Amino acid sequence: MRFRHPDGSTVHLAYCTNVHPAETLEGVRAQLRDHCEPVRRRLGRDRLGIGLWLARDAARALINDPAELRALRAELDGRGLEVVTLNGFPYEGFGADEVKYRVYRPDWTEPDRLAHTTDLARLLAALLPDDATEGSVSTLPLAWRTPYDGDPEAVRTARAALTTLARRLDALAELTGKSIRVGLEPEPGCTVETTADAIAPLTDVGHDRIGICVDTCHLATSFEDPGAALDALTAAGIRIVKSQLSAALHADRPHLPEVRAALAAFAEPRFLHQTRTSTAAGLRGTDDLDEAVAGGALPDSTPWRAHFHVPLHAPPAPPLSSTLPVLRDALARLVGGPAPLTRHLEVETYTWQALPAELRPRTRAQLADGIAAELTLVRDLLVDLGLKELP
């Protein structure tokens, strides 16, 4: 979906296909047929943006066979789908029964991460619509905090890899005329946990093609104020490559038994749900929701937020809620000003099948309905901010 900003520029809205995980090229094609095109039809649009997730094996298959890449581009066109952004955070195995800490490997100290991200940039340059010259790729925020934090050699290795990536992106732009940028995506528990944590390493890399991806669920989970966070990035000259629009799980009174019980229903074995609370002494947290719910690990006199991407249009029932207000505030700052801070927006609710059983979509049709409802909500927010939806 495309929108015209009042300054005349085009803002792209997509939804991320990591909600339909597939490891192979055949699986990616099935996503387009069984999920993405039905969502487009529900929205009544001739064209729908998707934030494509390509696992390592799928990406390598496309890199190794230019005919397959051309065929994928043709299939996207034929199904009324377009790609200006890729999700390069998960490397492989995102559809496994247990993902948890595995999603952070390989990290930016490992050659495979640089190689994979380079592949994604090359693929995106070929998949961009003919009238688009800019693409974005989100990636993990350097590494999970252990054993990275406190290891000077790991820091040097990761930053050297990002510098190499920047040079490769420059060369790709020279070769193709397509400008691909990569954004570190701050996430609780990682060495770059907050937007503030991103400023120093991105300043050290010091290259326009390496910036930040602001995920509004992660922003909210860390209790960051959207205005202050985005102002600090702007003041530091950090480019906001893209923003993932998502909402976290919020509990106002975690000391109450009924609130703990409601939270426990969201503690599931597949994904990591980092949980945080903001206290007078600073941010406190656990690596997963079940640790917090068990008691004793977190103070419970202040609200808790958990890294659980809840559907934007369907917040959980009381006594829980979502951080949709944080998303609204962030979106207003991102695209509501005289010029957009980013032109790539991506709805990223990948946890539909991790919801409590009674809230999960039971059919493909129900999932498509839910994704279309999320995109409709964001479309309405953008229109309210003065953007005009384009055909």
Side-chain angles (χ1 to χ4, degrees), residues 10-338:
T10 300
V11 173
H12 294 264
L13 172 64
Y15 90 89
C16 187
T17 65
N18 64 353
V19 64
H20 322 297
E23 301 292 317
T24 66
L25 189 52
E26 181 181 357
V28 170
R29 291 200 175 98
Q31 290 174 347
L32 305 183
R33 179 192 67 234
D34 297 338
H35 300 289
C36 302
E37 188 174 4
V39 170
R40 178 183 64 77
R41 294 185 182 279
R42 278 163 171 75
L43 292 167
R45 307 296 300 163
D46 293 332
R47 174 173 54 188
L48 175 67
I50 57 171
L52 198 58
W53 176 60
L54 295 171
R56 179 201 57 181
D57 288 350
R60 290 307 303 169
L62 291 168
I63 287 289
N64 291 332
D65 191 338
E68 290 282 16
L69 180 55
R70 290 192 296 270
L72 179 61
R73 170 65 189 274
E75 183 162 0
L76 288 166
D77 292 342
R79 297 191 182 280
L81 305 170
E82 66 177 11
V83 176
V84 301
T85 189
L86 299 180
N87 187 331
F89 196 136
Y91 180 74
E92 62 184 352
F94 201 60
D97 291 338
E98 182 178 335
V99 179
K100 298 291 184 181
Y101 295 94
R102 292 170 51 192
V103 77
Y104 306 107
R105 302 295 300 275
D107 62 34
W108 276 100
T109 67
E110 299 171 84
D112 285 347
R113 176 59 64 173
L114 174 60
H116 179 59
T117 310
T118 302
D119 285 348
L120 294 180
R122 292 172 57 193
L123 293 172
L124 182 55
L127 293 173
L128 284 176
D130 291 339
D131 61 349
T133 59
E134 295 185 352
S136 60
V137 180
S138 48
T139 188
L140 84 162
L142 299 185
W144 184 252
R145 67 181 184 277
T146 55
Y148 183 100
D149 286 0
D151 182 348
E153 184 58 31
V155 172
R156 285 191 292 270
T157 300
R159 294 186 186 177
L162 289 175
T163 300
T164 298
L165 176 65
R167 291 197 298 267
R168 292 178 180 178
L169 296 176
D170 281 343
L172 183 65
E174 182 70 22
L175 179 66
T176 66
K178 306 292 187 179
S179 179
I180 308 300
R181 292 183 170 88
V182 173
L184 302 184
E185 181 186 333
E187 176 165 310
C190 292
T191 187
V192 175
E193 173 157 341
T194 66
T195 58
D197 294 335
I199 291 175
L202 290 175
T203 300
D204 286 349
V205 173
H207 198 290
D208 182 63
R209 298 195 194 280
I210 310 295
I212 191 170
C213 168
V214 175
D215 183 302
T216 58
C217 171
H218 304 172
L219 189 81
T221 301
S222 294
F223 287 85
E224 291 194 78
D225 174 75
L230 297 175
D231 285 350
L233 292 173
T234 301
I238 303 300
R239 179 182 285 269
I240 302 172
V241 169
K242 65 186 279 190
S243 179
Q244 288 173 325
L245 305 179
S246 52
L249 190 63
H250 180 93
D252 263 330
R253 296 181 290 174
H255 64 286
L256 297 178
E258 61 267 31
V259 176
R260 292 288 183 95
L263 284 169
F266 286 83
E268 52 82 37
R270 185 172 175 187
F271 299 113
L272 206 59
H273 301 297
Q274 303 93 314
T275 304
R276 298 289 184 268
T277 187
S278 182
T279 73
L283 203 63
R284 296 279 302 279
T286 60
D287 281 358
D288 215 344
L289 180 56
D290 55 358
E291 302 170 47
V293 170
L298 279 185
D300 59 10
S301 58
T302 51
W304 288 1
R305 289 176 178 173
H307 173 217
F308 194 118
H309 291 221
V310 297
L312 302 185
H313 70 294
L320 304 180
S321 62
S322 82
T323 60
L324 184 61
V326 177
L327 183 157
R328 291 176 185 268
D329 290 347
L331 192 62
R333 188 62 66 97
L334 285 165
V335 299

